[in-house]
C-alpha cells in the first residue's frame, strides 16, 4: 500500500485563495474546474456522446460540478467512491427588479437565500458577484470585489429596545443594501453598471443570478494563527478539499480499486431540489453514463452502484465555549481536532455503523484523527446532502465534515489544521 499524498498548511493557504476567488457557486465550480484541468482532467459536454476512455473528466452545470477519474483497466461494473459537497452558502440575492430606493438613498432589492445569520450582514462592506446570461445564450461571470453595497443597522439612539429585547430584523424592510445617493432610481441601472464593469454592451444581459458577499479576505486568527476566519466555509471548505483529493489520486501510477468522484452540488441550503441540486438527477446520470460509455449494461450499473460509497462532506458544529449547554455533553468536537463523523439515528445524517467503519478505515490509512458529532437530544438536528444521496441513488453514504463556529454567518471560523486533515482523509477514502 503506497503512502497517500499528504497535504499540509499549504493546503489551508490555498483554501484561503479559493474562498476569496469564489464569491458565488458559479465561481466556485469554475475555480474547481481550473484546478482539475491542471491535473489533466478535461470537460465533457452533457449533449455530446461520451467515450469509455480512461482519465479524468468533468461536467459543469450551473453552480454544480461532477468530476471523475477512470483508471486504466476499470471494468464497467467497477464501483465509485464519491466525495459529495455543496457550493452554495446562505446570503442575500438580487431580485428580478433590483433597482430601488427611498429618501435620497439608492438601494438594491435583495431576497434572503437559505438561512443566514442576518445580523452578520449588517454594517459590512459588500461586493456583488454571480453570472449574467446574455442574448446569445452564453453566460458571463461577474465579480465586483470592492466596497459597493452596505446594509446599515439602525442607530441605537433610534431603537433603545435593542439592548433589552435583542435585535429584530424584518427580512423585507431591514436588509435592503444601499449603494448610492439620489432620487432618480431607474430600472436597469444595476445591470447597466455590471455590463460596463464586464465590458459588455448595454442591453446584452437578459438574465442574472447575483448575490452579495463580504469583501473582507480570509485570515489566520489568534496568537499562534491556529484558527482560520473566512466566508463560505460552509461548504466551500469541503469543495476545495474534495477537489484537491481527487486531483491527488488521479494519476496513472495510482492503484485504485474504485472510480473516484467529486460531486459538488448547488442549492443545498434551500433543499437541494433543482437540476443542479443533490435531489436532482445529475449525479445518477453522470455515473450511469460512465458505466454505459465503458460498454456496461444495466446489470453492470446495478453492480457498480451496489459497491459505491459516498462521503457527504459538509461543515458541522464545533463545541461553542459560550454555549456548551447547546451541545451533547459527551460529544464535543473541537476546532483543530480533525474532521468529524456526523451521526443522527433519525436519518438527518446518513451515517450508520458500517459507514463509520469505512470512514475509520480511510482516516487510519491517512493517519488522520477524527471526532464524532451528535446533536443534543433537546435540539433539532440539521441535515445535509447525505440522506438525499443515499435515498435517491441507493448508495451507501456517510456524513462527515469539519467542525466550525458561526455557521451560516457571513464569516465563519475553523481550526487552521482541519482543512488539510480533511483533505488527507478524503485521499485515503478515494484510494479505496
Amino acid at each position: 500500500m503506497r503512502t497517500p499524498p499528504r497535504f499540509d498548511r499549504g493546503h489551508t493557504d490555498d483554501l484561503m485563495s479559493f474562498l476569496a476567488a469564489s464569491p458565488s457557486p458559479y465561481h466556485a465550480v469554475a475555480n474547481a474546474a481550473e484546478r482539475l484541468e491542471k491535473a489533466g482532467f478535461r470537460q465533457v459536454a452533457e449533449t455530446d456522446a461520451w467515450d469509455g476512455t480512461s482519465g479524468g473528466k468533468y461536467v459543469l452545470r450551473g453552480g454544480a460540478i461532477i468530476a471523475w477519474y477512470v483508471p486504466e483497466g476499470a471494468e464497467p461494473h467497477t464501483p465509485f467512491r464519491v466525495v459529495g459537497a455543496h457550493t452554495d452558502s446562505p446570503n442575500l440575492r438580487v431580485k428580478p427588479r433590483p433597482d430601488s430606493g427611498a429618501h435620497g438613498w439608492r438601494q438594491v432589492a435583495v431576497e434572503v437565500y437559505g438561512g443566514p445569520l442576518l445580523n452578520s450582514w449588517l454594517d459590512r462592506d459588500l461586493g456583488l458577484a454571480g453570472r449574467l446570461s446574455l442574448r446569445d445564450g452564453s453566460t458571463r461571470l461577474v465579480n465586483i470585489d470592492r466596497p459597493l453595497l452596505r446594509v446599515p443597522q439602525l442607530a441605537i439612539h433610534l431603537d433603545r429596545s435593542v439592548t433589552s429585547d435583542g435585535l429584530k430584523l424584518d427580512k423585507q424592510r431591514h436588509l435592503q443594501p444601499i449603494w448610492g445617493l439620489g432620487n432618480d432610481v431607474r430600472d436597469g441601472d444595476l445591470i447597466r453598471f455590471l455590463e460596463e464593469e464586464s465590458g459588455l454592451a448595454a442591453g446584452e444581459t437578459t438574465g442574472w443570478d447575483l448575490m452579495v458577499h463580504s469583501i473582507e479576505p480570509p485570515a489566520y486568527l489568534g496568537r499562534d494563527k491556529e484558527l482560520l476566519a473566512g466566508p463560505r466555509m460552509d461548504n466551500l471548505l469541503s469543495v476545495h478539499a474534495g477537489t484537491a483529493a481527487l486531483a491527488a489520486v488521479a494519476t496513472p501510477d495510482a492503484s485504485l480499486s474504485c472510480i473516484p468522484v467529486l460531486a459538488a452540488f448547488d442549492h443545498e441550503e434551500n433543499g437541494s431540489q433543482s437540476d443542479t441540486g443533490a435531489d436532482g438527477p445529475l449525479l445518477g446520470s453522470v455515473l450511469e453514463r460512465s458505466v454505459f460509455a465503458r460498454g456496461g449494461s444495466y446489470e453492470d450499473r446495478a453492480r457498480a452502484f451496489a459497491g459505491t460509497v459516498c462521503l457527504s462532506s459538509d461543515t458541522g458544529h464545533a463545541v461553542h465555549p459560550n454555549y456548551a449547554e447547546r451541545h451533547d455533553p459527551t460529544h464535543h468536537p473541537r476546532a483543530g481536532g480533525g474532521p468529524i463523523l456526523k451521526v443522527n439515528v433519525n436519518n438527518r445524517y446518513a451515517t450508520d455503523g458500517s459507514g463509520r467503519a469505512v470512514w475509520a478505515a480511510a482516516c487510519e490509512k491517512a493517519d488522520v484523527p477524527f471526532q464524532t458529532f451528535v446533536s443534543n437530544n433537546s435540539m433539532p438536528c440539521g441535515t445535509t446532502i447525505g440522506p438525499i444521496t443515499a435515498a435517491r441513488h441507493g448508495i451507501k453514504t456517510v456524513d462527515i465534515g469539519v467542525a466550525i463556529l458561526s455557521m451560516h454567518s457571513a464569516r465563519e471560523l475553523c481550526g487552521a489544521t482541519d482543512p488539510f486533515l480533511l483533505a488527507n482523509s478524503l485521499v485515503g477514502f478515494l484510494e479505496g
Side-chain angles (χ1 to χ4, degrees):
M1 182 182 300
R2 74 184 181 90
T3 302
R6 297 303 302 265
F7 297 104
D8 55 20
R9 188 77 169 221
H11 175 88
T12 305
D13 293 339
D14 188 62
L15 169 62
M16 295 167 72
S17 298
F18 186 82
L19 293 172
S22 304
S24 77
Y26 316 111
H27 289 83
V29 298
N31 289 321
E34 181 180 5
R35 284 164 164 76
L36 292 171
E37 289 271 359
K38 290 178 180 178
F41 283 69
R42 61 182 177 88
Q43 184 176 359
V44 294
E46 293 184 80
T47 53
D48 290 344
W50 291 4
D51 59 51
T53 56
S54 60
K57 304 168 187 178
Y58 68 91
V59 165
L60 289 181
R61 184 193 288 184
I65 182 171
I66 311 291
W68 67 103
Y69 180 79
V70 180
E72 289 284 353
E75 300 286 347
H77 60 266
T78 298
F80 301 92
R81 286 234 161 177
V82 182
V83 172
H86 68 88
T87 61
D88 60 320
S89 301
N91 56 18
L92 307 176
R93 303 205 171 186
V94 175
K95 288 185 174 180
R97 294 188 64 184
D99 300 290
S100 66
H103 308 291
W105 298 100
R106 300 181 69 187
Q107 295 176 277
V108 174
V110 296
E111 189 173 4
V112 177
Y113 177 84
L117 286 172
L118 298 178
N119 63 293
S120 71
W121 292 93
L122 303 179
D123 297 330
R124 191 181 290 272
D125 294 341
L126 303 172
L128 190 65
R131 67 177 179 179
L132 303 177
S133 297
L134 310 183
R135 288 188 182 279
D136 63 4
S138 65
T139 58
R140 178 76 63 88
L141 294 182
V142 60
N143 182 12
I144 312 300
D145 198 31
R146 65 175 188 268
L148 181 69
L149 305 137
R150 188 177 180 91
V151 183
Q153 188 172 183
L154 184 65
I156 192 171
H157 312 79
L158 303 178
D159 184 14
R160 296 287 184 182
S161 66
V162 72
T163 57
S164 57
D165 300 336
L167 179 65
K168 297 178 181 179
L169 295 172
D170 183 288
K171 293 179 181 180
Q172 178 62 37
R173 294 185 296 125
H174 299 152
L175 294 173
Q176 308 307 312
I178 61 174
W179 75 306
L181 299 174
N183 294 310
D184 58 335
V185 176
R186 295 168 297 177
D187 282 345
D189 276 357
L190 179 68
I191 300 307
R192 279 191 292 272
F193 164 75
L194 295 176
E195 288 176 329
E196 291 173 3
E197 291 285 317
S198 304
L200 297 170
E204 245 185 290
T205 301
T206 55
W208 51 88
D209 301 280
L210 300 167
M211 58 208 71
V212 306
H213 65 276
S214 170
I215 63 166
E216 186 179 3
Y220 288 114
L221 188 103
R223 183 191 66 181
D224 300 318
K225 298 183 177 180
E226 298 170 288
L227 301 170
L228 175 65
R232 300 176 293 281
M233 291 187 187
D234 179 12
N235 184 35
L236 294 189
L237 189 157
S238 295
V239 174
H240 177 259
T243 302
L246 179 59
V249 303
T251 59
D253 63 335
S255 178
L256 300 174
S257 59
C258 300
I259 295 173
V261 180
L262 169 68
F265 302 101
D266 201 352
H267 301 131
E268 188 272 349
E269 296 293 355
N270 61 8
S272 295
Q273 292 184 323
S274 71
D275 68 320
T276 54
D279 203 18
L282 183 58
L283 176 61
S285 173
V286 169
L287 299 187
E288 287 181 345
R289 291 184 68 177
S290 175
V291 170
F292 298 150
R294 284 176 279 122
S297 62
Y298 183 83
E299 181 71 11
D300 291 314
R301 180 262 188 214
R303 293 175 64 188
F305 275 47
T308 293
V309 184
C310 173
L311 284 188
S312 163
S313 183
D314 201 350
T315 53
H317 302 293
V319 61
H320 197 302
N322 300 336
Y323 301 91
E325 73 280 359
R326 300 295 183 102
H327 300 265
D328 184 85
T330 59
H331 295 79
H332 279 179
R334 299 186 177 189
I340 56 173
L341 177 73
K342 300 158 78 170
V343 179
N344 180 268
V345 295
N346 293 303
N347 282 342
R348 299 293 284 173
Y349 302 130
T351 306
D352 62 10
S354 62
R356 185 188 193 280
V358 172
W359 170 241
C363 290
E364 181 178 358
K365 181 177 182 180
D367 193 24
V368 169
F370 75 90
Q371 311 174 83
T372 304
F373 171 84
V374 65
S375 291
N376 184 311
N377 287 339
S378 300
M379 303 291 294
C381 181
T383 190
T384 70
I385 65 167
I388 294 170
T389 304
R392 180 167 184 84
H393 306 295
I395 59 179
K396 178 180 290 297
T397 304
V398 188
D399 275 297
I400 57 103
V402 162
I404 69 171
L405 292 182
S406 305
M407 186 183 293
H408 286 198
S409 171
R411 195 166 179 85
E412 298 161 324
L413 185 71
C414 74
T417 61
D418 287 329
F420 66 79
L421 291 176
L422 173 65
N424 283 328
S425 68
L426 297 183
V427 169
F429 167 74
L430 290 176
E431 287 187 319

